[in-house]
Amino acid sequence: MDDLIHGPVTFDHRQLDDWILVRSDGTPTYNFCVVVDDATMRIKPRHPRQRPPVEHAQAGLCYEALGYPVPALAHVSMILGSDRTRLSKRHGATSVQAYREQGILPRRW
């Protein structure tokens, strides 16, 4: 697979194991949903976080198996916050438990 940032990404097919697409309770896994969602919404190129080459391969093979074109990928390095922990959309957010400990109760409608 080609990566818009890192160039060609190669892997050994022997590194691939069975990829779980659906859990035993019948719900699809996140990695499977991402492929279907991105393909049906025509998201391209994708800019996922940096991850092992085996995961690139599994996603690419899933796109191909479902008959979707494999999108261009641009894997970016993990972005860290000022506290050197992984930055996320909830970074620095106050937890519900912290609000409870401060005595702030939920509104009653």
Side-chain angles (χ1 to χ4, degrees), residues 5-34:
I5 295 173
H6 303 283
V9 177
T10 60
F11 57 92
D12 184 347
H13 281 281
R14 292 176 293 186
Q15 294 176 321
L16 300 178
D17 54 4
D18 289 336
W19 195 30
I20 298 171
L21 301 177
V22 179
R23 295 179 190 90
S24 59
D25 66 1
T27 58
T29 61
Y30 171 80
N31 290 329
F32 178 62
C33 290
V34 167

Side-chain angles (χ1 to χ4, degrees), residues 28-68:
T29 61
Y30 171 80
N31 290 329
F32 178 62
C33 290
V34 167
V35 168
V36 173
D37 188 52
D38 287 353
T40 57
M41 295 191 68
R42 296 181 177 96
I43 304 291
K44 54 188 171 197
R46 288 196 58 236
H47 297 84
R49 64 171 170 76
Q50 188 68 39
R51 58 187 181 177
V54 169
E55 289 185 29
H56 299 233
Q58 289 173 323
L61 293 171
C62 188
Y63 277 100
E64 291 173 359
L66 295 172
Y68 296 131

Side-chain angles (χ1 to χ4, degrees), residues 45-107:
R46 288 196 58 236
H47 297 84
R49 64 171 170 76
Q50 188 68 39
R51 58 187 181 177
V54 169
E55 289 185 29
H56 299 233
Q58 289 173 323
L61 293 171
C62 188
Y63 277 100
E64 291 173 359
L66 295 172
Y68 296 131
V70 179
L73 299 174
H75 287 86
V76 295
S77 299
M78 186 66 67
I79 300 171
L80 303 178
S82 58
D83 60 357
R84 308 292 299 154
T85 60
R86 191 178 96 199
L87 193 61
S88 72
K89 61 186 171 192
R90 294 180 196 86
H91 193 77
T94 303
S95 69
V96 172
Q97 184 61 36
Y99 283 123
R100 286 184 182 133
E101 290 169 0
Q102 294 174 28
I104 298 172
L105 302 174
R107 285 186 180 169

